[in-house]
Amino acid sequence: MSLLYADDECLNKPINQARPNMRAVELFQPRAIAQATHIIKPLLVSADIPIEAGELSLFSTHPQTINLITPNQKLITIHRYNSGLSPMGMVLKSSDFDDLLTFLLDGEIPLYQLPTGELKIGLYLISLATHVCQLTLKSHSLINKSDIASLLKQINQPTGLFGELSNNLSGEYPPQLEMLCCTMTNLMNGNADDITPFIGLGPGLTPSFDDIIVGMLAVISGDHRFTTQMRQLKLAFEPLPLDFLTTKVSVSFLTYALQGKFSLLVLQVIKSFEKHNYHHSSIKNLVNYGHTSGSDLLLGIWLGIDRFVLRD
């Protein structure tokens, strides 16, 4: 089966983790494998999936994703095939995902992660011996602002708070978006400002403004001219109590975005814009991502272009 959304350049990379405790592996892994009656091999795994040996907890289940929490409160997301790949996730075949979801919904299931990263979910063992995808943003150069604007003006999908995406491309933005851009500018320039009123603002498992910020970061952090500004922005975010400001899922996406790591769909959209490929399937797939998350991410990408990297 071919992966519809996998970029060959991201595949077969090492997982970004420290060497596991081999004594723990010797003691723990053979017993877990022996107890497993169903071994699942993912189609794709992020190079940055958290690996913390120990008991996991089930955070949430959805038709396209299963979210688990590690002992140190990091998120692991299991994606159904053709629903994207996050920096903290893996992709399963639809049949494997459906079997696992049904199994988890049947009752209390013991969940834990082995020192080597495999997931033990009841009688299921999810291996990491598969394609590994590096989801770090590469340096890019976006120059066709008018072409990108023309494309986005054709998208009538609703955003979380600001109506249809196509109505937010004129350069005159609602006051909250103007304030967000000013706040981001101040923080990137090393000036004191408060971005916390925007974190967690809006509807959704990943609130609208969080998606918008992630979209902005996907543009700004890939432009070499903003290296110093991004360093300042990271410093400004470091003391923020994100866990108290927004959802667990959104904390993960924001944290990874500040490290220059994004979902595969976001990376592919940025790459398609750079290559002037405005009919790439990733654009449509991102538009249809979540209830309004895709439109909010695209709005953030546009703000990053219009107000930062290609500001008139």
Side-chain angles (χ1 to χ4, degrees), residues 58 60-62 64-68 76-79 97 100-101 104:
L58 180 63
S60 63
T61 59
H62 308 275
Q64 306 297 329
T65 57
I66 297 168
N67 290 309
L68 308 174
I76 296 175
T77 299
I78 302 173
H79 298 267
F97 180 92
L100 189 64
L101 181 60
L104 284 168

Side-chain angles (χ1 to χ4, degrees), residues 140-156:
H140 59 68
S141 177
L142 302 177
I143 59 174
N144 292 299
K145 181 177 178 179
S146 60
D147 290 343
I148 295 171
S150 297
L151 168 70
L152 298 181
K153 285 177 181 177
Q154 300 174 37
I155 299 175
N156 297 319

Side-chain angles (χ1 to χ4, degrees), residues 186-202:
N186 283 336
L187 295 177
M188 287 177 5
N189 289 332
N191 300 322
D193 211 328
D194 184 11
I195 200 169
T196 58
F198 300 103
I199 306 296
L201 183 60

Side-chain angles (χ1 to χ4, degrees), residues 132-175:
V132 177
C133 188
Q134 179 64 259
L135 297 174
T136 302
L137 184 70
K138 298 177 181 177
S139 179
H140 59 68
S141 177
L142 302 177
I143 59 174
N144 292 299
K145 181 177 178 179
S146 60
D147 290 343
I148 295 171
S150 297
L151 168 70
L152 298 181
K153 285 177 181 177
Q154 300 174 37
I155 299 175
N156 297 319
Q157 292 287 104
T159 62
L161 293 171
F162 303 106
E164 294 178 357
L165 177 64
S166 57
N167 294 332
N168 291 278
L169 280 296
S170 66
E172 296 181 4
Y173 301 107

